[in-house]
Amino acid sequence: EGAKLDYLNPGKMERWRRVGRLENQRLTWILPEILRGEYLGWSDKPTMLRARSGEWWIGTGGGLYRFPPIKDFADLKSAKPLGIYQLKNEAPTMVYRLYEDSRGDLWVSVARATGSALAKWDHETDTLHDMDRKNGLPSVTENLPTAFQEDANGDMWVGFNRGEVARVRSGQFKFFAVSDGIVGRINDLYLDRKGHLWIGTFAGGIFRTDNPSSEQPTFVNYTTRQGLSSNFGSAFVEDLFGRIYVGTAHGLDRLDLTTNQVKHFTTADGLASGLIHASFRAADGQLWFGASQGISHFFPDTNEGSSAPPPILLTGLRVDGISRQVAANGDSELSLSELAP
């Protein structure tokens, strides 16, 4: 209803991660039987995805599982893995985040007791490669990869725990650090429909570059000085009107780049409480936000996408210092008798 967000409580959560399907306002949870009882890790980032091929990938605390396409969602429960992938290391491969690029390869952030790693699954060879210290990538043992995003040029961007972002072009890594304007751990990367790359950080606000394919991209910074509710930014999504939504430490902010206005959404608007870790736009334009304590969905009002000014509500009137009667909930217009000079 209008700008109201609806909150869906997933109810009592079991200790393991699961895949959920929403149907008729009811959530059904499934996990392949082979993973039941397994440790699925501690990540707050996406560790499950459905690939373009229809295959399902699930990252766990002990490896990366690949499942075949299924005809019905319920079939995932009994599905047998096509493969289980580990990096060659004495420590189990705990998956922190997954991302599929346009070529069908998988980018995998790995967190292990012996240190973090960046891996890539090659769909042509069906192998998981450790990318550490290759093609310009230094050791990331103490610098966890935290975010992935492919840009419009087909280059891959990777964000790291120490506040760096790297662009991978023709297989070579190039880093952009604090000296290029980026501050704080990278929480999220997002590409909007105009090809602009958005970067959410832990404490430095959010950044946007309109030229991610440039040899030396320039970054614009948004913080509380520009109207954000906090300098924490994560889980970007764009609505059908080109407005950008970003999760903050105080709820959800919406940036309208045509008016430079920022609108804040909180639990008072129906938003589920807790930090927002994931967001998604459905084919019908509806927006979904996954928070630590629930799921919210929001259908932006078409009127909000226009450039028409908002209506004015009159809540008080005084003439010569004397208050005149106004409705308790305000009036859109008031009629006055002729006033003396």
Side-chain angles (χ1 to χ4, degrees), residues 52 57 106 141 149 157 175 211 230 245 250 264 323 333:
R52 292 173 175 82
W57 291 86
L106 238 61
T141 301
Q149 178 62 58
W157 288 77
F175 278 79
N211 55 344
S230 83
Y245 297 73
H250 300 300
H264 309 301
S323 296
E333 60 181 49

Side-chain angles (χ1 to χ4, degrees), residues 40-302:
L40 299 186
W42 46 262
S43 174
D44 59 356
K45 301 298 183 181
T47 58
M48 302 181 183
L49 64 82
R50 187 183 184 188
R52 292 173 175 82
S53 64
E55 295 177 341
W56 288 82
W57 291 86
I58 300 179
T60 74
L64 179 62
Y65 287 71
R66 176 188 174 199
F67 292 90
I70 54 176
K71 293 182 178 180
D72 186 83
F73 178 71
D75 295 337
L76 185 61
K77 186 174 183 179
S78 58
K80 304 299 181 184
L82 297 174
I84 305 173
Y85 304 86
Q86 292 272 3
L87 289 180
K88 294 180 180 179
N89 189 283
E90 68 278 3
T93 298
M94 196 211 89
V95 176
Y96 179 77
R97 190 162 192 166
L98 289 177
Y99 181 88
E100 184 189 24
D101 65 23
S102 60
R103 293 170 287 274
D105 296 335
L106 238 61
W107 296 73
V108 187
S109 172
V110 175
R112 301 174 294 193
T114 55
S116 57
L118 175 60
K120 183 180 179 182
W121 177 78
D122 188 314
H123 75 280
E124 292 183 348
T125 61
D126 188 21
T127 52
L128 186 67
H129 301 282
D130 191 341
M131 305 184 74
D132 196 42
R133 306 190 188 195
K134 298 175 183 177
N135 303 319
L137 177 68
S139 174
V140 296
T141 301
E142 298 181 1
N143 194 13
L144 179 70
T146 52
F148 302 102
Q149 178 62 58
E150 187 175 4
D151 67 21
N153 194 47
D155 298 330
M156 179 62 64
W157 288 77
V158 184
F160 293 88
N161 189 54
R162 289 183 174 177
E164 300 169 309
V165 290
R167 183 179 61 199
V168 188
R169 174 175 291 175
S170 300
Q172 295 294 316
F173 286 80
K174 180 178 180 179
F175 278 79
F176 303 90
V178 175
S179 60
D180 299 304
I182 298 173
V183 181
R185 162 196 160 111
I186 306 302
N187 288 329
D188 197 19
L189 298 170
Y190 181 76
L191 191 74
D192 67 23
R193 63 186 181 186
K194 292 184 178 180
H196 303 157
L197 182 71
W198 293 83
I199 304 171
T201 73
F202 183 80
I206 63 177
F207 292 81
R208 188 192 84 233
T209 176
D210 296 347
N211 55 344
S213 62
S214 171
E215 185 63 26
Q216 190 65 41
T218 55
F219 300 94
V220 177
N221 189 207
Y222 297 83
T223 66
T224 52
R225 292 183 178 182
Q226 285 74 39
L228 294 184
S229 59
S230 83
N231 288 332
F232 176 96
S234 185
F236 292 97
V237 71
E238 181 181 14
D239 68 17
L240 294 177
F241 308 108
R243 298 170 299 192
I244 302 296
Y245 297 73
V246 58
T248 74
H250 300 300
L252 179 70
D253 285 358
R254 182 177 71 194
L255 287 74
D256 190 330
L257 301 183
T258 61
T259 63
N260 290 322
Q261 291 182 330
V262 180
K263 180 176 176 60
H264 309 301
F265 295 97
T266 67
T267 53
D269 301 298
L271 188 70
S273 57
L275 284 178
I276 297 174
H277 296 298
S279 58
F280 173 73
R281 188 184 75 215
D284 62 359
Q286 190 165 193
L287 304 180
W288 291 84
F289 301 97
S292 56
Q293 298 185 43
I295 304 171
S296 306
H297 65 112
F298 172 43
F299 216 134
D301 192 336
T302 54

Side-chain angles (χ1 to χ4, degrees), residues 311-330:
I312 301 299
L313 189 66
L314 305 175
T315 58
L317 172 68
R318 287 188 300 171
V319 178
D320 197 19
I322 301 174
S323 296
R324 295 292 183 93
Q325 186 174 0
V326 178
N329 59 349

Side-chain angles (χ1 to χ4, degrees), residues 7-23 25-33 36 40 48 56 58 73-78 288-296:
Y7 167 48
L8 298 172
N9 189 340
K12 183 179 179 181
M13 298 288 287
E14 297 178 345
R15 294 180 63 87
W16 48 75
R17 295 173 181 268
R18 296 167 293 167
V19 183
R21 179 180 64 180
L22 178 67
E23 189 174 27
Q25 295 294 301
R26 182 178 178 83
L27 284 162
T28 303
W29 298 100
I30 285 179
L31 189 75
E33 288 290 348
R36 194 147 306 263
L40 299 186
M48 302 181 183
W56 288 82
I58 300 179
F73 178 71
D75 295 337
L76 185 61
K77 186 174 183 179
S78 58
W288 291 84
F289 301 97
S292 56
Q293 298 185 43
I295 304 171
S296 306

